[in-house]
Amino acid sequence: MTPESTPGTRDGQRSPSAVRTAEYPWIHADGRVTFAVPAPSARTVELQPGGHESGLAAGSTLPFTRGEDGLWILTVPPVRPGFYYYWLLVDGVPTNDPNTETFFGYGRPTSGLEVPDPGSDFHDLLDVPHGEVRTRWFHAATTGRWRRCLVYTPPGYDDDPGRRYPVLYLQHGAGEDERGWTMQGRANFILDNLLDRGAAEPMIVVMNNGYALEPGEVPATSGSIPELSERLLNAFGDLLVRDVVPMVDATYRTIPDRSSRALAGLSMGGRQALSVGLANPDTFASVVAFSAALFDPLDPETAFGGALADADAFNARTRLLWLSAGTGEQRFDEALTSMESVLAKQGIRHHTYRSQGTAHEWQTWRRSLHNVAPLLFRG
Amino acid sequence: MTPESTPGTRDGQRSPSAVRTAEYPWIHADGRVTFAVPAPSARTVELQPGGHESGLAAGSTLPFTRGEDGLWILTVPPVRPGFYYYWLLVDGVPTNDPNTETFFGYGRPTSGLEVPDPGSDFHDLLDVPHGEVRTRWFHAATTGRWRRCLVYTPPGYDDDPGRRYPVLYLQHGAGEDERGWTMQGRANFILDNLLDRGAAEPMIVVMNNGYALEPGEVPATSGSIPELSERLLNAFGDLLVRDVVPMVDATYRTIPDRSSRALAGLSMGGRQALSVGLANPDTFASVVAFSAALFDPLDPETAFGGALADADAFNARTRLLWLSAGTGEQRFDEALTSMESVLAKQGIRHHTYRSQGTAHEWQTWRRSLHNVAPLLFRG
């Protein structure tokens, strides 16, 4: 262990994603991050970042150095604030870092690095009133199975039994699950902080698993992340509109009408939000897509069940269409530009946001939620 | 891969603890379990069970066999139903099994194997009404920090705003956290199932992290599980009595009196329940300890702040003192026998339960909860 990588000898902090008893990952004051893992019997230990444009390391694996005590150490150059999936390769075999919490991504529990932003605390756990994140089990007729969803109720929800709330349905990306938006995305803290300063309408947020199977269908066990097929889109749409929305309206104190429902999602979930949301205007008046995984050119006459064909009708019935991407995720940024062009030409009212300097990563989506939430169910 | 270990070629099922896209661990109809992990570049892959008396493998590491395709396979002899922590050793380095969910135990996210019991479904997700498990953040004056706890509210909690409920405070064991009782213990499903047949009093269950630090104190970063010191016991007791109980009574529709509060825990949490619960009779009228980590002989005059010294007074004020252990966990079984003897001699009214054939494992504690819950807040 080199002196400059020793925790406590320099300013810095443990990563907030570290487990309670771990001293690594250590984030130095200058933004460098030191990882360490005891592995006396390993021949090689490497860090592999999730994704191609990670702020943690640009797509390449980074080798640890073995110390005499069998502790392998890696210090990476300054990492920009945000959340990054990663895993270790121990003698080439993917494993989790024993020092961090796991986060469900890439279809499995995955290590995560949280790097705080000294200049911004919009997604931090602050000294403000906090809502609850409720785990609810419900039976879905569409899939013939019990499912689990997470429901954020805003601060004060239990205090005023007469008050009703609008609902944001919020979807994760491919390989993630219903836990992503709270564990990785900190959606609950983002909302808590906005609500504390009156910057958003108090709302319920419902987070579902974006994968849905037909009754009796067995999940694919390829070990890889399932593709977003038309079939998956349709199954999820049926689940959401036929099972989830009625269950939520029957269970929570919602305002049960289209103008008080929004559907949002990121990446795969962004495509789901556009496809399901725009094709079901009787259910959702607002549709929000972060880094939507939608790369084919839009035909404005046929896309989303023809929802865009009549711009006047669309603009009259749509409360908000809001799209975003990070400037560091080229493919998704270009897809957004392409979509903006089609929508503008068609005369479809919409809003866009670009997260500066972030890629296909949670910081893009946290910022997107933070930017769109104040616009929902208002004005 | 040998034919008899191939999923689909024999009766059996994936472990319920497997992630969605994994086909292993595979539980054969005869109870054998096959694990598999792709690791073409590894020299050795072994399975290490958590604990000394695991039903998965009695304390020893078990070697996988490498297939020609680089898939390492291990089939273990029939495993008794329950939940077992384990991890893999890849070239000697502890790693998680990529095929399973992780469960917080041993101070870190750990792989888990769930083996269903064909003859018993008391802790399964059944077709009954389900309560919610709410994640709540609260500021604790005792520690000077925000903390997270989980709160089970029974089915119907939101439907009758006038109804109030008794509260069970339920603690995990060493190295685990506030998620243990729902993720590993399935406490919510156990309660849902009991409540569905009217076999228990509807109750709120509050699950806290059993580790508490003084304000400004930095957690030990030894990488090992913190010891249960007197200091930790006192800090947790202060946290529970001064912060948690008032917060819960102010936040949920509780019956805010001692006779409607029980404190229970397992192992380390069992010792905490006895120490904190019996020393705070004004707060808790019922105390429940599963496999309590309490091995020194009890002095009935001084133990638990002298709570046992006056048997008549104890029996008059105590609604329930309930103790359990598994017959397969010798040290804890003997500790229970010793405690029974002291309590009987002292004339302290108490109840005991022994889980047949289970050791220091979650099946012991699931059964214990299932057995004690019907006795709480009734009669």
Side-chain angles (χ1 to χ4, degrees), chain A residues 129-152:
Chain A
H130 291 279
E132 286 184 330
V133 177
R134 306 177 175 199
T135 304
R136 171 157 288 274
W137 288 262
F138 65 100
H139 192 270
T142 307
T143 64
R145 290 174 168 88
W146 284 88
R147 292 173 65 93
R148 181 178 74 171
C149 69
L150 299 183
V151 180
Y152 169 82

Side-chain angles (χ1 to χ4, degrees), chain A residues 229-252:
Chain A
S229 61
E230 284 301 316
R231 185 147 164 284
L232 176 62
L233 269 175
N234 291 337
F236 173 74
D238 288 349
L239 171 84
L240 193 64
V241 172
R242 296 183 197 169
D243 286 305
V244 175
V245 170
M247 180 279 287
V248 168
D249 282 339
T251 307
Y252 300 94

Side-chain angles (χ1 to χ4, degrees), chain B residues 81-104:
Chain B
F83 173 88
Y84 304 100
Y85 292 113
Y86 71 100
W87 47 92
L88 306 180
L89 298 175
V90 172
D91 293 350
V93 179
T95 72
N96 288 330
D97 183 345
N99 292 323
T100 82
E101 268 295 344
T102 51
F103 301 85
F104 203 83

Side-chain angles (χ1 to χ4, degrees), chain A residues 41 91 101-102 132 179 252, chain B residues 41 91 101 132 179 252:
Chain A
S41 53
D91 292 351
E101 268 294 342
T102 51
E132 286 184 330
R179 293 169 289 189
Y252 300 94
Chain B
S41 53
D91 293 350
E101 268 295 344
E132 286 184 328
R179 294 169 289 189
Y252 300 94

Side-chain angles (χ1 to χ4, degrees), chain B residues 237-238 241 258 274-285 287 304 307:
Chain B
D238 288 349
V241 173
R258 63 181 297 279
L274 290 168
S275 299
V276 176
L278 296 180
N280 289 280
D282 293 344
T283 305
F284 302 103
V287 174
F304 313 126

Side-chain angles (χ1 to χ4, degrees), chain A residues 168-354:
Chain A
L168 168 63
Y169 292 83
L170 186 59
Q171 290 300 126
H172 59 80
E176 298 170 338
D177 74 5
E178 65 274 23
R179 293 169 289 189
W181 264 110
T182 51
M183 288 284 290
Q184 290 94 305
R186 300 176 160 201
N188 50 318
F189 296 144
I190 293 171
L191 268 293
D192 289 341
N193 295 337
L194 286 170
L195 294 175
D196 181 58
R197 52 188 182 84
E201 193 66 20
M203 65 184 83
I204 294 168
V205 184
V206 177
M207 293 156 280
N208 270 273
N209 193 310
Y211 297 99
L213 300 172
E214 304 291 325
E217 185 182 355
V218 174
T221 55
S222 61
S224 60
I225 298 168
E227 280 180 35
L228 185 61
S229 61
E230 284 301 316
R231 185 147 164 284
L232 176 62
L233 269 175
N234 291 337
F236 173 74
D238 288 349
L239 171 84
L240 193 64
V241 172
R242 296 183 197 169
D243 286 305
V244 175
V245 170
M247 180 279 287
V248 168
D249 282 339
T251 307
Y252 300 94
R253 298 197 316 277
T254 65
I255 303 170
D257 63 46
R258 62 181 297 280
S259 68
S260 296
R261 280 191 212 104
L263 176 56
L266 73 90
S267 194
M268 173 182 101
R271 182 168 163 198
Q272 290 176 310
L274 290 168
S275 300
V276 175
L278 297 180
N280 289 279
D282 293 345
T283 304
F284 302 102
S286 300
V287 174
V288 175
F290 310 149
S291 309
L294 199 59
F295 304 108
D296 294 333
L298 279 188
D299 177 340
E301 300 304 319
T302 60
F304 314 127
L308 309 177
D310 181 341
D312 289 343
F314 182 94
N315 292 337
R317 73 171 175 257
T318 305
R319 202 161 169 188
L320 185 70
L321 174 60
W322 196 98
L323 309 166
S324 73
T327 61
E329 49 173 344
Q330 191 184 347
R331 194 170 173 226
F332 294 86
D333 194 6
E334 289 173 2
L336 177 56
T337 301
S338 163
M339 209 178 308
E340 284 179 296
S341 156
V342 171
L343 294 173
K345 200 166 169 185
Q346 187 76 355
I348 297 285
R349 201 174 55 237
H350 65 282
H351 304 260
T352 57
Y353 162 74
R354 279 181 168 79

